[in-house]
């Protein structure tokens, strides 16, 4: 178990090492409008990542904690609104950082990646009007929430639990179209979307039945080189033996564990962002904290996903 100071020190060292190795990325997102933030980019990214613990409840809760407890460690700590603007400006740096950690955790050499989709509500489903994120969100359905209004997040993880990338679509987006777009964008990543990540060397993916479709699988493989394996839906192909279905389900279990960490341990379930920048900032910071905790646990000789008792509050 680490103290807050020890965890922040380890996290800051990881972030600062990455920032020093990528000065061009920092200059690209430094910004020049408004009052200058006295915090360094490494400090901004570190605090943005650390603020995602569920204990804080939200951005306001984090700053209520930071003012009395973290001011000695970060003497140039600014006010909450200025910090939020700075963390949103640097969210591409945070995205690049979580992908850097994934590669340190062996994502490029992983034998396969697990993909799955989960819903994130941004407002109550029954409310009228377009809401804060009109045009980016809509009404959809997922097994966890039922009908909801928000976005679908497609994540890719390794068998050890490292997050290697993610994509976002409106709540009504189905599994297959979102997976196809994800594979295509990973094949030819556009500028400004670093959170998509890079596929493992073999480009082998494991998924659930929602991604079934032999024709689509052949199309994806021919177009992007992605080879997806999942149990077939009824009518798509002969049913798999029970032992094979259970073996695939055991392999997929890791992505369910990762989603639980993001939704509960890092409070994604309770977030209600008002802008897409805010949503991407939160997701990139949560993915960074997740991968950083795995790396720190490995260095301490602990179970990689033992997050609950990593930090002694």
């Amino acid at each position: 178990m680490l103290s807050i100071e020890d965890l922040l020190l380890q996290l800051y060292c990881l972030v600062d090492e990455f920032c020093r190795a990528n000065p061009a990325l920092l200059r690209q997102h430094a910004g020049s409008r408004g009052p200058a933030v006295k915090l360094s980019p490494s400090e901004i990214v570190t605090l943005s990542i650390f603020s995602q613990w569920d204990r804080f409840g939200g951005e306001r809760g984090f700053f209520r904690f930071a003012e009395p407890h973290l001011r000695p460690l970060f003497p140039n700590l600014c006010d909450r609104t200025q910090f939020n603007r700075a963390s949103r400006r640097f969210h591409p740096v945070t995205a690049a950082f979580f992908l850097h950690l994934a590669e340190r955790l062996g994502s490029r050499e992983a034998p396969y990646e697990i993909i799955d989709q989960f819903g994130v509500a941004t407002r109550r489903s029954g409310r009228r009007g377009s809401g804060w994120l009109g045009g980016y969100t809509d009404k959809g359905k997922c097994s966890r929430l039922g009908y909801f209004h928000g976005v679908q997040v497609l994540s890719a993880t390794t068998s050890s639990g490292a997050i290697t990338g993610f994509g976002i679509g409106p709540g009504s987006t189905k599994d297959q179209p979102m997976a196809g777009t994800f594979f295509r964008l990973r094949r030819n990543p556009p500028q400004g979307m670093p959170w998509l990540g890079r596929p493992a060397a073999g480009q082998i993916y494991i998924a659930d039945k929602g991604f079934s479709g032999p024709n689509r699988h052949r199309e994806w493989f021919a177009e992007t080189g992605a080879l997806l394996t999942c149990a077939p839906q009824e009518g798509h192909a002969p049913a798999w033996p029970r032992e094979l279905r259970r073996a695939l389900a055991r392999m997929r279990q890791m992505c369910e564990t990762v989603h639980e960490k993001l939704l509960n341990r890092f409070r994604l379930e309770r977030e209600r962002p008002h802008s897409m920048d805010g949503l991407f900032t939160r997701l990139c910071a949560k993915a960074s904290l997740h991968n950083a905790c795995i790396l720190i646990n490995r260095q301490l000789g602990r179970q990689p996903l033992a997050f609950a008792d990593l930090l002694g509050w």
Side-chain angles (χ1 to χ4, degrees):
M1 184 178 293
L2 296 174
S3 66
I4 293 173
E5 292 79 7
D6 289 339
L7 181 62
L8 274 170
L9 179 60
Q10 292 207 35
L11 184 58
Y12 175 81
C13 289
L14 290 171
V15 172
D16 193 55
E17 178 186 4
F18 173 78
C19 289
R20 289 177 184 273
N22 296 274
L25 182 62
L26 298 182
R27 288 195 298 269
Q28 184 179 351
H29 301 284
S32 58
R33 298 171 57 185
V37 180
K38 294 183 179 180
L39 290 169
S40 69
S42 299
E43 291 175 320
I44 293 170
V45 174
T46 299
L47 289 173
S48 177
I49 294 171
F50 183 75
S51 68
Q52 302 306 312
W53 286 102
D54 64 327
R55 181 183 180 90
F56 301 128
E59 293 171 345
R60 287 184 173 86
F62 170 68
F63 260 80
R64 284 195 296 269
F65 174 87
E67 282 291 343
H69 296 97
L70 302 184
R71 177 72 68 176
L73 300 175
F74 299 90
N76 293 321
L77 186 66
C78 52
D79 64 67
R80 179 175 61 85
T81 55
Q82 190 179 25
F83 173 78
N84 287 345
R85 287 193 296 270
S87 63
R88 281 152 177 71
R89 189 171 69 245
F90 280 106
H91 84 262
V93 179
T94 311
F97 176 66
F98 93 74
L99 297 175
H100 163 73
L101 292 179
E103 293 194 2
R104 287 189 59 173
L105 292 169
S107 64
R108 294 286 292 158
E109 297 78 31
Y112 59 86
E113 292 177 86
I114 312 159
I115 62 169
D116 200 6
Q117 191 168 287
F118 64 97
V120 176
T122 57
R123 68 198 302 259
R124 291 186 62 181
S125 180
R127 292 185 63 182
R128 291 179 291 179
S130 59
W132 289 100
L133 299 175
Y136 297 100
T137 63
D138 61 12
K139 192 173 182 179
K141 185 179 182 181
C142 79
S143 57
R144 190 184 85 260
L145 297 173
Y147 288 103
F148 73 101
H149 193 283
V151 298
Q152 294 279 1
V153 178
L154 178 71
S155 69
T157 63
T158 65
S159 58
S160 61
I163 300 174
T164 62
F166 65 83
I168 295 179
S172 60
T173 310
K174 303 303 181 184
D175 292 346
Q176 295 170 334
M178 195 164 183
T181 302
F182 184 69
F183 296 150
R184 294 183 189 99
L185 291 177
R186 271 192 152 188
R187 173 80 171 182
N188 300 295
Q191 287 188 344
M193 293 187 179
W195 46 81
L196 293 169
R198 299 172 61 193
Q203 294 196 67
I204 299 173
Y205 296 90
I206 290 176
D208 62 17
K209 283 187 177 182
F211 296 86
S212 175
N215 294 334
R216 287 183 182 266
H217 293 181
R218 286 192 289 269
E219 175 187 333
W220 296 339
F221 181 74
E223 188 175 347
T224 69
L227 180 61
L228 188 139
T229 301
C230 67
Q233 294 182 16
E234 185 177 354
H236 285 179
W240 284 9
R242 177 180 296 180
E243 294 75 12
L244 185 55
R245 295 199 306 269
R246 288 182 174 178
L248 192 70
R250 286 194 295 270
M251 296 169 73
R252 284 194 55 259
Q253 187 62 43
M254 181 55 72
C255 75
E256 305 291 345
T257 302
V258 171
H259 292 174
E260 189 278 331
K261 302 290 186 188
L262 295 175
L263 291 165
N264 299 314
R265 185 65 58 189
F266 303 144
R267 71 166 192 276
L268 182 58
E269 188 79 89
R270 303 195 299 274
E271 300 281 16
R272 295 295 183 269
H274 291 173
S275 70
M276 290 305 292
D277 278 349
L279 177 58
F280 279 114
T281 300
R282 289 172 170 89
L283 284 171
C284 293
K286 294 176 196 304
S288 295
L289 183 56
H290 176 88
N291 286 353
C293 287
I294 292 177
L295 182 60
I296 291 171
N297 272 333
R298 283 189 180 182
Q299 293 172 346
L300 296 175
R302 292 163 42 90
Q303 290 295 319
L305 293 172
F307 295 176
D309 59 347
L310 174 61
L311 186 58
W313 296 96

